Amino acid sequence: MEFLSRLVALYATLFRKKPMDFTVHQAKGNKGLQKALGAFDLTMLGVGAVIGTGIFVMTGVVAAEHSGPAIVLSFLLSGIACAFAALCYAEFASMIPASGSAYTYGYTVFGELFAWILGWDLILEYGLACSVVASGWSAYFQELIRGFGLHLPTEISSAFNPSAGTYFDLMATVIVFALSLILLSGVKESSRINDIMVLIKIGVVLLFIVVGAFYVQPTNWTPFMPFGFDGVVQGAATAFLSYIGFDAVSSASEEVRNPQRDMPIGILSSLAVCMVLYVAVSLVLTGMVPYTKLNVGDPVAFALRFVHQDWVAGFVSLGAILGITTVLFVMMYGQTRLFFAISRDGLLPKSISRLTKGKKTPVFSILLTWGMATVFSALIPLGELAQLVNIGTLFAFICVSIGVVVLRIKRPDIKRNFKVPFVYVIPFLSVLACGYLMINLTGQTWIRFIIWFVIGLVIYFAFGFRHSELGKRKKQLHS
């Protein structure tokens, strides 16, 4: 009987839920971040996270290998599927204006252990995403300067791989360092820089659409569905990953002046802008060039060279670099706010969540993110590890979608400034879409994912379990 009571007590401790008012109190108090962002800034964060390699690279791959000209339908289907998860994030973000994204939502709905698992999962997602994108930025930058006859020494051109003669990726280190400095300047200043880069990037994409429209040959759209509808669905599954990143917007909710109104606007409007741009670029791209020729590393620039518009292709290359830069910036931003939220709750060392007095910048969270991204991108050949970014994100989407339904049932009394419509249908469709993509990832990816979880559990029981702020608060209430 004593053993059973101890087991029940352990279960209650592991799954202790963080009251929503306590979370809001943390965000508003001295330990909270500076309120400096509006709906426009959130929209730019979302567009900055999503419009990158997906639009400048993946459009060509999906068209050539899966969908053909029907890539338009693939991006529509994947955008709608992603919108299911976005609606769930929007409901949570309007209720709980605090940093941490899915980690914070999980703490409220499922309890501490599950919140830690989600937080640990998001550390993997953001950490590897930063590294993958930084490595991609380095490769694209080197390709750009090669056009001017400039070359980096082989030894510092890529991550550690002695057989290929490479030992260190210098440019990945440079861009991570530069963006860390921008983050250290404060959320208001760094968001303004991001806004400018994103607006330039959108301008470049619109330039391609306008110029390319004059070279569209309708005959290139036939056959419209060369791989059948199965190809369209396969293309949608691949294209879905192009939209990943909008969830980082929810990390900013604690720094928004009016989160109840602006968070849903920022999340949903950024996804809408990205969907429109993806569809328009896909339509023009496959109209300019036969889809069979688009399996190249830079399909948008290739299409412009194909129609002898080399000067526009140069602008597109600039837009691609800016696109990758803003993706990296938002991923690093999301990582810093995640470290901050977990540390503030005591599940990581408290020093990580320390803020500067004036701008309330989480300096140590930024430095930790900088160190992690630098080591991974500069020294470690990532290769298949990039798939871990996808599995981590999809897992978070599933948990948030289930959490919305659970909270509607358990706490119908909570004021919701934004509600997911058809709450027993849309979250289910989100889980279905994300689950389908997860089970189609490789077995090796799943093994690595499980190993990462095991490491996380060891860290939680060795440190977080004993230092939890919620645990200390409950002890004080019972003493």
Side-chain angles (χ1 to χ4, degrees), residues 63 73 107 129 172 193 204 208 253 267 275 312 445:
L73 299 181
Y107 216 153
I193 294 171
V204 169
F208 166 76
S253 58
I267 291 172
M275 193 188 302
V312 185
T445 300

Side-chain angles (χ1 to χ4, degrees), residues 401-419:
S401 301
I402 294 172
V404 164
V405 179
V406 171
L407 206 60
R408 284 282 191 100
I409 295 170
K410 288 190 171 182
R411 294 293 307 276
D413 57 301
I414 296 173
K415 183 184 177 183
R416 291 165 170 83
N417 295 280
F418 175 85
K419 288 186 176 182

Side-chain angles (χ1 to χ4, degrees), residues 246-300:
F246 77 86
D247 56 312
V249 177
S250 62
S251 298
S253 58
E254 191 168 320
E255 294 163 281
V256 180
R257 289 185 294 268
N258 187 357
Q260 287 78 13
R261 187 200 69 175
D262 292 345
M263 287 306 302
I265 292 173
I267 291 172
L268 298 175
S269 63
S270 61
L271 188 61
V273 169
C274 294
M275 193 188 302
V276 169
L277 291 178
Y278 272 126
V279 168
V281 167
S282 300
L283 194 65
V284 171
L285 186 66
T286 52
M288 291 172 68
V289 183
Y291 73 91
T292 53
K293 297 182 179 181
L294 288 174
N295 195 8
V296 293
D298 56 343
V300 176

Side-chain angles (χ1 to χ4, degrees), residues 238-471:
T238 306
F240 183 93
L241 304 177
S242 300
Y243 288 100
I244 284 177
F246 77 86
D247 56 312
V249 177
S250 62
S251 298
S253 58
E254 191 168 320
E255 294 163 281
V256 180
R257 289 185 294 268
N258 187 357
Q260 287 78 13
R261 187 200 69 175
D262 292 345
M263 287 306 302
I265 292 173
I267 291 172
L268 298 175
S269 63
S270 61
L271 188 61
V273 169
C274 294
M275 193 188 302
V276 169
L277 291 178
Y278 272 126
V279 168
V281 167
S282 300
L283 194 65
V284 171
L285 186 66
T286 52
M288 291 172 68
V289 183
Y291 73 91
T292 53
K293 297 182 179 181
L294 288 174
N295 195 8
V296 293
D298 56 343
V300 176
F302 170 80
L304 290 165
R305 291 194 297 270
F306 186 82
V307 296
H308 309 293
Q309 288 293 330
D310 293 343
W311 69 274
V312 185
F315 278 106
V316 167
S317 296
L318 172 65
I321 285 187
L322 278 176
I324 298 171
T325 303
T326 58
V327 171
L328 179 56
F329 172 81
V330 179
M331 292 298 105
M332 289 181 67
Y333 171 83
Q335 178 80 299
T336 64
R337 271 45 183 181
L338 178 64
F339 278 137
F340 167 78
I342 298 175
S343 167
R344 183 170 61 183
D345 289 332
L347 304 186
L348 285 174
K350 295 290 286 182
S351 59
I352 296 173
S353 58
R354 197 175 299 160
L355 299 173
T356 58
K357 287 185 179 179
K359 297 180 179 179
K360 291 192 171 184
T361 304
V363 173
F364 291 102
S365 294
I366 294 170
L367 293 176
L368 181 58
T369 299
W370 165 71
M372 188 175 175
T374 298
V375 171
F376 276 26
S377 60
L379 298 175
I380 302 174
L382 297 168
E384 291 181 15
L385 290 180
Q387 282 204 26
L388 283 170
V389 177
N390 300 333
I391 196 171
T393 306
L394 293 168
F395 177 72
F397 282 8
I398 288 173
C399 293
V400 169
S401 301
I402 294 172
V404 164
V405 179
V406 171
L407 206 60
R408 284 282 191 100
I409 295 170
K410 288 190 171 182
R411 294 293 307 276
D413 57 301
I414 296 173
K415 183 184 177 183
R416 291 165 170 83
N417 295 280
F418 175 85
K419 288 186 176 182
V420 176
F422 309 107
V423 72
Y424 297 109
V425 177
I426 285 177
F428 171 75
L429 293 174
S430 173
V431 171
L432 206 63
C434 297
Y436 171 76
L437 291 175
M438 283 186 77
I439 61 175
N440 280 284
L441 293 170
T442 65
Q444 202 170 27
T445 300
W446 275 96
I447 291 169
R448 288 167 176 162
F449 189 53
I450 293 167
I451 291 171
W452 179 257
F453 269 144
V454 171
I455 295 170
L457 289 173
V458 171
I459 293 173
Y460 172 73
F461 285 108
F463 182 87
F465 180 76
R466 294 182 292 111
H467 293 85
S468 165
E469 283 292 310
L470 183 61

